Amino acid sequence: MSRRRAARLGAAALASIAALAGAPRPARAQAGGDAATAEVLFDQAIALMREGKYTEACPRLAESQRLDAGVGTLMYLAACYERLGKTASAWATYREAADAAGRRGQLDREQQAREGAAALEARLSRLLIEVPAGSAAPGLSVRRNGQELAPVLWGTPMPVDPGAYTIEASAPGRLPWSATVAVDPASGTATVAVPPLVEAPAPPPLPAAPAVAPRASTTAAPARPAPPDAAGMPAARVAALVAASAGVVGIGASIGVGFAARARFEDAGPHCEGDLCDDDGLTIREDALGIARAGTVVFIAGAAAVAAGGVLWLTSPSPRASAGARPAVQIGLGPAGLSLGGRF
């Protein structure tokens, strides 16, 4: 179609818009609340169009058409879009009106709508979104101003209203990409190509859970004294302390035995007068004498052990002496008394 023919059809369409402005209201297909609201919105839109306020009129016509569809409302809406410069929206609405009028047998309106669409077709701006084979990652999603585009639309010049469009692309495991392209009314077709999406870096590993330290007891355990050898004391001095301790215990035991012997001796009192005793008194005094002898033996053994401990302590090497120089001591306690032996 030549530009002169397109201009002539465009002039005819504008004339039809003026005719529509003075035409009667389109008949409504339904009654009720939606139809009444659609009627109010239609009246407001026509009044705004007569004042040249197309930006405010077009949304009212679109809502009126949604609530109660009519061919006349579509014709007005297409004319409103055309005056706003939304050529693609006006072209699509004219075509919709022509189809609706044809189904209803309104041949004059059908012809008028088709002429309006034909006049706009040569002026349409288009947007071509190309997705090369190297960019078609698995699960790729392409959006235009946030609206998902089906893959069949990739590589197809789509009629769009002039303006700015944001093209976005994303895919699992890839970094998202976006670009803004301006579609000029006189530019014909604007093209934007989706590049291969860069692989997203691997997420950092999750931090390890902090180890929970056991709660410390608030009551400190009493410190045990280190054994003498652990503190560096020679074995001979350890033996000296053991011998002296045993001797002290033996002396203490002999004192107890002495008290027991005295108590046993006093038990013979009723059987004796002075040094003269009957048989029972003699037996009791002999028992007391035996206990006393045993106490004497224990006392002598304890004293010997204390003395031996003192000798070992005095003759033992200092704590700094080597382990090989430490004496080996053996102490024994038997019926004959205390025995002491070893290497010094």
Side-chain angles (χ1 to χ4, degrees):
M1 179 185 295
S2 65
R3 290 186 176 273
R4 180 176 296 179
R5 174 63 176 166
R8 186 159 59 249
L9 290 176
L14 291 177
S16 67
I17 294 171
L20 282 173
R25 298 173 184 174
R28 295 295 174 182
Q30 64 180 29
D34 287 348
T37 303
E39 189 75 13
V40 171
L41 291 172
F42 180 83
D43 290 342
Q44 292 177 353
I46 296 303
L48 290 169
M49 287 181 68
R50 288 171 180 169
E51 297 175 6
K53 299 179 180 179
Y54 300 102
T55 304
E56 301 175 31
C58 292
R60 286 172 169 80
L61 286 171
E63 182 63 15
S64 177
Q65 175 67 16
R66 188 188 69 83
L67 294 174
D68 190 8
V71 177
T73 305
L74 282 174
M75 295 289 289
Y76 275 101
L77 181 58
C80 188
Y81 283 149
E82 186 175 359
R83 288 300 180 90
L84 281 179
K86 294 184 175 183
T87 52
S89 297
W91 175 75
T93 307
Y94 274 131
R95 290 172 62 92
E96 183 181 356
D99 292 340
R103 290 192 301 270
R104 298 182 184 184
Q106 301 175 6
L107 301 181
D108 55 341
R109 282 187 168 178
E110 180 183 5
Q111 180 63 27
Q112 191 177 19
R114 294 194 185 284
E115 289 179 355
L120 289 173
E121 190 167 358
R123 298 161 48 196
L124 288 177
S125 299
R126 288 178 167 82
L127 177 60
L128 173 61
I129 301 177
E130 295 180 340
V131 181
S135 302
L140 179 66
S141 171
V142 179
R143 295 173 297 280
R144 183 185 68 192
N145 284 355
Q147 183 178 3
E148 183 82 17
L149 295 179
V152 294
L153 297 178
W154 303 348
T156 300
M158 296 171 286
V160 293
D161 295 328
Y165 292 86
T166 299
I167 311 302
E168 300 172 290
S170 61
R174 305 295 179 94
L175 295 177
W177 169 89
S178 66
T180 301
V181 57
V183 178
D184 193 279
S187 64
T189 300
T191 303
V192 59
V194 177
L197 301 184
V198 179
E199 292 188 5
L206 296 176
V212 179
R215 181 178 296 180
S217 175
T218 56
T219 304
R224 294 183 177 182
D229 195 53
M233 181 178 293
R237 292 199 171 186
V238 175
L241 291 177
V242 173
S245 300
V248 172
V249 172
I251 292 174
S254 67
I255 296 174
V257 172
F259 282 114
R262 182 177 183 80
R264 183 61 176 166
F265 186 83
E266 291 178 353
D267 291 340
H271 303 279
C272 299
E273 292 182 3
D275 294 332
L276 299 177
C277 299
D278 58 15
D279 293 339
D280 293 335
L282 291 175
T283 301
I284 293 173
R285 286 190 174 185
E286 288 179 359
D287 291 341
L289 183 60
I291 294 173
R293 290 194 186 107
T296 302
V297 172
V298 172
F299 177 82
I300 294 172
V306 172
V311 173
L312 286 175
W313 184 271
L314 295 177
T315 59
S316 64
S318 64
R320 289 186 294 272
S322 61
R326 294 178 181 178
V329 180
Q330 293 182 349
I331 300 176
L333 181 63
L338 181 68
S339 63
L340 180 63
R343 174 172 49 84
F344 299 91

